[in-house]
Amino acid sequence: MAEHSHRDVMAVAGAGLALLAALGPTPAGAAPRDAGAGTVTGSGTAAAARFVPGPCPETTPEPIEALATARCGFLEVPENRARPDGRTIRLAVAVIPATAAKPARDPVVFMAGGPGGEVFDDIPFLVSSGLNRDRDLIVMAQRGNLYDEPNLACPELDRFDTTSVGLPSYAPRTQRLMLDAVKRCRDRLTAGGTDLSAYNTTENAADFADLRTTLGIGQWNVYGHSYGSNLALTYLRLHPQGIRAVAFDSIAPAQYVSLPFAWAGAREGLENLYRACAAQPRCKSRYPDIERTLNEQVRELDARPLTLNVRPPQGGDPVKVVLDGGALVNLLVAKAIPFAEVPAAIDELGRGNPERFARARAAGSAQVVGQTARGLTHSVVCAEWVPDHSASDVLKAGREAFPAWPDPVLAQAPQLAFQEQVCRVWHVPDRTAAMRAAPVSSVPTLFVNGTGDMKTGASWAQKTARTLPRSTTVRIPGIGHWVVPQSPCAQRVLASFLARPAAPDTTCVAGLGWEPFTITPK
């Protein structure tokens, strides 16, 4: 699902990669030799793609240690494969060498979340999770990303986000300001020649197919999280050649994702949290009515929002925040408050102390301007998630999930406000029909989901696995969105799967549970 980045945890044949390994360590900024052009197919006519070595991206505010030995460059592909004579775009790539003395010959390629998430910023999480322990790790920025050409950042929207913490979530003025920022971003991008219709999951999948062939890799493994799992499913369906195994983390299945889908995920995650609290005697005793209290507070804050001046948790001067029903829901879905503290935060709110939620809201005033490819975000959401469901469908799904909440809150999918109006402004073609097909494949697959995930509910893994007969599904208790970096057990399961896709070792899951909840004095 849509997200800016993960901050909650905050096989060859590879002639191309085998050659790189034979060359030995290279200095930072070095790259694989140009594997030349490859003929690929995407959404239309065949077109040429090529890999061009180049320096690794300069990272801010802190350097990424793994890039010191990485081999980097750009994948050059047509912006729109249906118009092969149109302009060419460049996608930033890094190959991070395995740490093992004798690595496996099949690398793993990572597909980032978002859509529009900045993938190079994810490298430290991937490396600390062991993704490059036994095989090379390949990351490529999806089209429009920070280090790509063109870069589809929307600083206009980022700046709106920094001020939106002081606005009512779903008020007409908030909508007008947001739509104005969307329009200014769209006008700037299209004036620069960007074909927004070409920034979609089908083209993204074809980019990764091109990357494999231009690097000369015969077989590789795929690991995608959130929107990256959506992309990985599409890639498996359209470009099955050369795929050894696929791991999906926090599955957002392409055949199901929509605005109503968001309400199902929120409900599942919250229900799991309620059950976990009830299963811990101290939590159950201290917070026996957590669900009722939350329902009351959503209604109360929707009717009478709180306006406060709060110092952000990252420091700095106090900022104005508006805490209303929509903000409360969005903060929970975004895991802006650690799960262990959620019952305490809800209880405190019900007793007239909004401090935890207000500080979490204030944290949004420090957006990183220009880091996320919001142009890709809106092009994917508006083409693939929005068109085949109406505003009444969103409201209906919200009422089914949370019948005690007021309609003004339920009318907007969590973390996806005003999308119907945004998409009228963004104006890209409807691609839902192309995205609703389920992949049918005998490639081994692994689904890893967290039971605390309020964005993409864990139960979607079983639904998606129905057409993937060689699937293993794993649920990690008490973990939210993007599981592997947060769970040592999930890291072991993923490593086992990459080593033995047909028989991964999942035994560590049996002993897991939710961590103890914070218990505050009465």
Side-chain angles (χ1 to χ4, degrees):
M1 295 297 289
E3 58 179 332
H4 299 302
S5 62
H6 170 81
R7 295 295 170 267
D8 294 342
V9 237
M10 205 218 67
V12 201
L17 287 186
L19 173 62
L20 295 177
L23 292 175
T26 57
R33 292 183 179 178
D34 187 353
T39 300
V40 297
T41 59
S43 56
T45 309
R50 66 176 188 146
F51 183 82
V52 180
C56 293
E58 296 182 3
T59 58
T60 56
E62 297 179 1
I64 295 174
E65 183 179 348
L67 291 181
T69 55
R71 306 164 179 94
C72 296
F74 290 92
L75 179 71
E76 295 186 347
V77 294
E79 182 177 51
N80 189 331
R81 287 175 172 83
R83 301 175 187 139
D85 295 330
R87 76 172 180 173
T88 297
I89 62 176
R90 287 159 58 92
L91 312 180
V93 178
V95 181
I96 300 166
T99 59
K102 294 183 179 180
R105 294 176 64 84
D106 47 283
V108 58
V109 62
F110 175 64
M111 298 181 177
E118 204 293 281
V119 69
F120 282 85
D121 210 30
D122 292 338
I123 289 173
F125 299 110
L126 300 171
V127 170
S128 66
S129 299
L131 265 295
N132 70 320
R133 186 184 65 189
D134 299 318
R135 48 186 36 84
D136 289 353
L137 167 65
I138 302 172
V139 298
M140 180 171 72
Q142 295 163 27
R143 46 180 50 207
N145 222 271
L146 178 61
Y147 300 109
D148 294 344
E149 300 172 12
N151 170 10
L152 267 61
C154 286
E156 302 90 344
L157 271 165
D158 295 334
R159 286 189 284 269
F160 162 78
D161 285 346
T162 65
T163 61
S164 67
V165 300
L167 300 171
S169 297
Y170 305 138
R173 178 169 178 262
T174 306
Q175 177 179 313
R176 287 194 301 271
L177 291 171
M178 181 179 182
L179 296 183
D180 176 68
V182 170
K183 184 178 187 302
R184 284 187 284 116
C185 179
R186 188 190 194 284
D187 289 349
R188 177 177 51 78
L189 293 176
T190 55
T194 298
D195 178 1
L196 293 176
S197 70
Y199 291 80
N200 59 63
T201 305
T202 300
E203 293 283 6
N204 276 341
D207 294 339
F208 280 91
D210 287 354
L211 181 64
R212 184 184 67 81
T213 58
T214 57
L215 289 181
I217 298 170
Q219 192 174 54
W220 67 5
N221 307 279
V222 179
Y223 168 54
H225 95 90
S226 193
Y227 169 71
S229 70
N230 183 312
L231 173 57
L233 281 167
T234 304
Y235 175 66
L236 177 62
R237 177 168 60 88
L238 298 179
H239 305 278
Q241 303 83 4
I243 301 178
R244 175 176 174 264
V246 186
F248 308 106
D249 187 327
S250 306
I251 185 69
Q255 61 268 44
Y256 299 120
V257 171
S258 63
L259 297 186
F261 170 95
W263 279 122
R267 181 67 209 179
E268 182 174 346
L270 270 173
E271 282 186 338
N272 286 336
L273 186 142
Y274 298 150
R275 292 191 191 102
C277 180
Q280 295 182 18
R282 294 185 69 217
C283 189
K284 180 179 180 180
S285 174
R286 178 64 184 82
Y287 313 116
D289 299 314
I290 180 175
E291 181 175 8
R292 178 180 60 78
T293 303
L294 178 60
N295 291 343
E296 290 174 351
Q297 289 305 305
V298 172
R299 292 193 300 267
E300 174 67 21
L301 289 173
D302 179 66
R304 286 172 288 278
L306 296 175
T307 300
L308 310 99
N309 287 315
V310 184
R311 193 178 302 278
Q314 61 268 33
D317 295 332
V319 298
K320 174 188 172 184
V321 301
V322 173
L323 191 60
D324 56 14
L328 179 56
V329 172
N330 287 321
L331 290 169
L332 288 169
V333 172
K335 199 191 171 186
I337 294 176
F339 288 143
E341 299 178 18
V342 168
I346 293 172
D347 177 74
E348 289 168 349
L349 186 62
R351 296 172 183 268
N353 177 9
E355 181 70 16
R356 291 187 204 249
F357 281 107
R359 282 174 60 81
R361 177 83 158 142
S365 65
Q367 297 287 329
V368 179
V369 175
Q371 185 171 27
T372 301
R374 305 288 286 271
L376 176 61
T377 305
H378 289 307
S379 288
V380 170
V381 171
C382 292
E384 301 172 15
W385 300 3
V386 170
D388 60 350
H389 289 85
S390 66
S392 61
D393 292 330
V394 177
L395 179 58
K396 178 181 177 183
R399 286 170 172 169
E400 290 175 353
F402 299 101
W405 293 2
D407 282 357
V409 172
L410 301 175
Q412 305 291 339
Q415 295 198 294
L416 291 163
F418 310 126
Q419 288 305 296
E420 186 176 11
Q421 295 83 2
V422 165
C423 292
R424 291 195 198 108
V425 174
W426 202 253
H427 192 57
V428 288
D430 179 353
R431 303 195 68 260
T432 52
M435 296 304 298
R436 295 299 183 231
V440 179
S441 175
S442 60
V443 170
T445 55
L446 172 69
F447 293 83
V448 180
N449 283 76
T451 62
D453 192 343
M454 298 183 199
K455 294 183 181 181
T456 56
S459 65
W460 290 103
Q462 281 74 19
K463 298 180 179 72
T464 309
R466 290 170 184 164
T467 60
L468 302 170
R470 299 181 68 193
S471 292
T472 301
T473 60
V474 170
R475 295 189 185 196
I476 306 296
I479 297 294
H481 208 60
W482 199 7
V483 178
V484 167
Q486 303 179 71
S487 167
C489 175
Q491 292 166 21
R492 293 196 291 274
V493 171
L494 178 57
S496 172
F497 172 73
L498 293 175
R500 298 177 300 279
D505 182 359
T506 64
T507 55
C508 65
V509 178
L512 299 178
W514 285 65
E515 66 176 295
F517 290 99
T518 299
I519 306 300
T520 57
K522 287 187 178 180

